[in-house]
mmCIF file of all heavy atoms in Angstrom:
data_model
loop_
_atom_site.group_PDB
_atom_site.id
_atom_site.type_symbol
_atom_site.label_atom_id
_atom_site.label_comp_id
_atom_site.label_asym_id
_atom_site.label_seq_id
_atom_site.Cartn_x
_atom_site.Cartn_y
_atom_site.Cartn_z
ATOM 1 N N ILE A 25 0.812 11.308 1.100
ATOM 2 C CA ILE A 25 1.567 12.532 1.228
ATOM 3 C C ILE A 25 0.586 13.698 1.160
ATOM 4 O O ILE A 25 -0.229 13.778 0.240
ATOM 5 C CB ILE A 25 2.610 12.684 0.100
ATOM 6 C CG1 ILE A 25 3.598 11.517 0.128
ATOM 7 C CG2 ILE A 25 3.333 14.024 0.212
ATOM 8 C CD1 ILE A 25 4.462 11.457 1.361
ATOM 9 N N LYS A 80 15.746 43.084 21.957
ATOM 10 C CA LYS A 80 15.503 43.752 20.686
ATOM 11 C C LYS A 80 16.800 44.352 20.146
ATOM 12 O O LYS A 80 17.528 45.040 20.849
ATOM 13 C CB LYS A 80 14.450 44.851 20.857
ATOM 14 C CG LYS A 80 14.036 45.509 19.553
ATOM 15 C CD LYS A 80 12.925 46.520 19.770
ATOM 16 C CE LYS A 80 12.507 47.165 18.456
ATOM 17 N NZ LYS A 80 11.421 48.165 18.655
ATOM 18 N N GLU A 82 19.471 42.775 19.339
ATOM 19 C CA GLU A 82 20.647 41.958 19.647
ATOM 20 C C GLU A 82 20.774 40.824 18.633
ATOM 21 O O GLU A 82 19.808 40.137 18.318
ATOM 22 C CB GLU A 82 20.518 41.374 21.053
ATOM 23 C CG GLU A 82 21.683 40.512 21.477
ATOM 24 C CD GLU A 82 21.467 39.891 22.840
ATOM 25 O OE1 GLU A 82 20.454 39.179 23.019
ATOM 26 O OE2 GLU A 82 22.297 40.127 23.738
ATOM 27 N N VAL A 86 26.772 33.131 13.749
ATOM 28 C CA VAL A 86 26.431 31.714 13.715
ATOM 29 C C VAL A 86 27.432 30.939 14.574
ATOM 30 O O VAL A 86 28.635 31.191 14.545
ATOM 31 C CB VAL A 86 26.396 31.194 12.261
ATOM 32 C CG1 VAL A 86 27.731 31.362 11.573
ATOM 33 C CG2 VAL A 86 25.954 29.740 12.225
ATOM 34 N N SER A 87 26.927 30.027 15.365
ATOM 35 C CA SER A 87 27.755 29.302 16.331
ATOM 36 C C SER A 87 28.231 27.954 15.818
ATOM 37 O O SER A 87 29.351 27.513 16.136
ATOM 38 C CB SER A 87 26.954 29.056 17.626
ATOM 39 O OG SER A 87 26.430 30.240 18.153
ATOM 40 N N VAL A 91 27.146 18.984 9.726
ATOM 41 C CA VAL A 91 27.188 18.339 8.418
ATOM 42 C C VAL A 91 27.082 16.834 8.646
ATOM 43 O O VAL A 91 27.877 16.257 9.394
ATOM 44 C CB VAL A 91 28.480 18.673 7.656
ATOM 45 C CG1 VAL A 91 28.419 18.106 6.240
ATOM 46 C CG2 VAL A 91 28.713 20.179 7.616
ATOM 47 N N LEU A 102 31.913 26.868 14.979
ATOM 48 C CA LEU A 102 32.428 28.048 14.304
ATOM 49 C C LEU A 102 32.733 29.179 15.274
ATOM 50 O O LEU A 102 33.547 30.054 14.977
ATOM 51 C CB LEU A 102 31.435 28.520 13.241
ATOM 52 C CG LEU A 102 31.090 27.501 12.147
ATOM 53 C CD1 LEU A 102 30.181 28.146 11.103
ATOM 54 C CD2 LEU A 102 32.332 26.934 11.486
ATOM 55 N N VAL A 111 36.895 24.140 6.467
ATOM 56 C CA VAL A 111 35.466 24.443 6.412
ATOM 57 C C VAL A 111 35.142 25.172 5.116
ATOM 58 O O VAL A 111 34.138 24.878 4.447
ATOM 59 C CB VAL A 111 35.036 25.285 7.629
ATOM 60 C CG1 VAL A 111 33.594 25.763 7.472
ATOM 61 C CG2 VAL A 111 35.179 24.476 8.917
ATOM 62 N N PRO A 121 26.710 17.021 -3.313
ATOM 63 C CA PRO A 121 25.556 17.867 -2.998
ATOM 64 C C PRO A 121 25.389 18.037 -1.488
ATOM 65 O O PRO A 121 25.493 17.070 -0.731
ATOM 66 C CB PRO A 121 24.363 17.096 -3.600
ATOM 67 C CG PRO A 121 24.961 16.136 -4.575
ATOM 68 C CD PRO A 121 26.316 15.801 -4.049
ATOM 69 N N ASP A 139 34.580 34.767 4.367
ATOM 70 C CA ASP A 139 34.294 34.847 2.937
ATOM 71 C C ASP A 139 34.481 33.483 2.270
ATOM 72 O O ASP A 139 35.461 32.785 2.539
ATOM 73 C CB ASP A 139 35.205 35.875 2.275
ATOM 74 C CG ASP A 139 34.855 36.094 0.813
ATOM 75 O OD1 ASP A 139 33.655 36.240 0.512
ATOM 76 O OD2 ASP A 139 35.781 36.100 -0.020
ATOM 77 N N PHE A 170 7.858 10.708 6.650
ATOM 78 C CA PHE A 170 8.238 9.516 7.411
ATOM 79 C C PHE A 170 7.298 9.162 8.557
ATOM 80 O O PHE A 170 7.459 8.105 9.173
ATOM 81 C CB PHE A 170 9.655 9.680 7.963
ATOM 82 C CG PHE A 170 10.726 9.689 6.910
ATOM 83 C CD1 PHE A 170 11.417 10.862 6.625
ATOM 84 C CD2 PHE A 170 11.039 8.544 6.200
ATOM 85 C CE1 PHE A 170 12.410 10.876 5.659
ATOM 86 C CE2 PHE A 170 12.024 8.541 5.226
ATOM 87 C CZ PHE A 170 12.712 9.707 4.952
ATOM 88 N N PRO A 190 24.835 16.713 25.567
ATOM 89 C CA PRO A 190 24.387 15.646 24.676
ATOM 90 C C PRO A 190 23.061 15.946 23.965
ATOM 91 O O PRO A 190 22.888 15.571 22.796
ATOM 92 C CB PRO A 190 24.257 14.440 25.606
ATOM 93 C CG PRO A 190 25.252 14.704 26.701
ATOM 94 C CD PRO A 190 25.217 16.182 26.902
ATOM 95 N N GLN A 193 23.821 18.337 21.090
ATOM 96 C CA GLN A 193 24.507 17.616 20.026
ATOM 97 C C GLN A 193 23.527 16.767 19.215
ATOM 98 O O GLN A 193 23.571 16.752 17.978
ATOM 99 C CB GLN A 193 25.605 16.732 20.607
ATOM 100 C CG GLN A 193 26.761 17.494 21.227
ATOM 101 C CD GLN A 193 27.865 16.581 21.712
ATOM 102 O OE1 GLN A 193 28.091 15.502 21.155
ATOM 103 N NE2 GLN A 193 28.554 16.986 22.773
ATOM 104 N N TYR A 195 20.234 17.145 18.952
ATOM 105 C CA TYR A 195 19.320 18.018 18.218
ATOM 106 C C TYR A 195 19.964 18.524 16.934
ATOM 107 O O TYR A 195 19.368 18.463 15.850
ATOM 108 C CB TYR A 195 18.918 19.206 19.096
ATOM 109 C CG TYR A 195 18.158 20.282 18.368
ATOM 110 C CD1 TYR A 195 16.773 20.230 18.261
ATOM 111 C CD2 TYR A 195 18.828 21.355 17.769
ATOM 112 C CE1 TYR A 195 16.068 21.219 17.581
ATOM 113 C CE2 TYR A 195 18.135 22.340 17.094
ATOM 114 C CZ TYR A 195 16.766 22.272 16.996
ATOM 115 O OH TYR A 195 16.077 23.243 16.312
ATOM 116 N N TYR A 207 15.758 14.325 1.426
ATOM 117 C CA TYR A 207 16.163 14.501 0.031
ATOM 118 C C TYR A 207 16.169 13.161 -0.707
ATOM 119 O O TYR A 207 15.598 13.038 -1.800
ATOM 120 C CB TYR A 207 17.545 15.140 -0.015
ATOM 121 C CG TYR A 207 18.068 15.359 -1.416
ATOM 122 C CD1 TYR A 207 17.511 16.322 -2.254
ATOM 123 C CD2 TYR A 207 19.135 14.607 -1.894
ATOM 124 C CE1 TYR A 207 18.002 16.530 -3.533
ATOM 125 C CE2 TYR A 207 19.636 14.805 -3.171
ATOM 126 C CZ TYR A 207 19.062 15.763 -3.987
ATOM 127 O OH TYR A 207 19.549 15.959 -5.259
ATOM 128 N N PRO A 225 -7.863 19.663 3.861
ATOM 129 C CA PRO A 225 -8.938 20.668 3.817
ATOM 130 C C PRO A 225 -8.471 21.973 4.434
ATOM 131 O O PRO A 225 -7.712 21.986 5.404
ATOM 132 C CB PRO A 225 -10.051 20.028 4.647
ATOM 133 C CG PRO A 225 -9.359 19.046 5.533
ATOM 134 C CD PRO A 225 -8.191 18.528 4.745
ATOM 135 N N GLU A 230 -14.694 31.299 10.401
ATOM 136 C CA GLU A 230 -16.005 31.740 10.871
ATOM 137 C C GLU A 230 -16.398 33.032 10.155
ATOM 138 O O GLU A 230 -15.571 33.881 9.837
ATOM 139 C CB GLU A 230 -15.962 31.994 12.382
ATOM 140 C CG GLU A 230 -15.724 30.737 13.183
ATOM 141 C CD GLU A 230 -15.733 31.011 14.667
ATOM 142 O OE1 GLU A 230 -15.984 32.189 15.035
ATOM 143 O OE2 GLU A 230 -15.501 30.078 15.460
#
Side-chain angles (χ1 to χ4, degrees):
I25 300 295
K80 186 176 181 180
E82 180 184 57
V86 60
S87 306
V91 186
L102 301 184
V111 172
D139 186 46
F170 292 110
Q193 293 184 30
Y195 171 88
Y207 180 70
E230 294 182 3

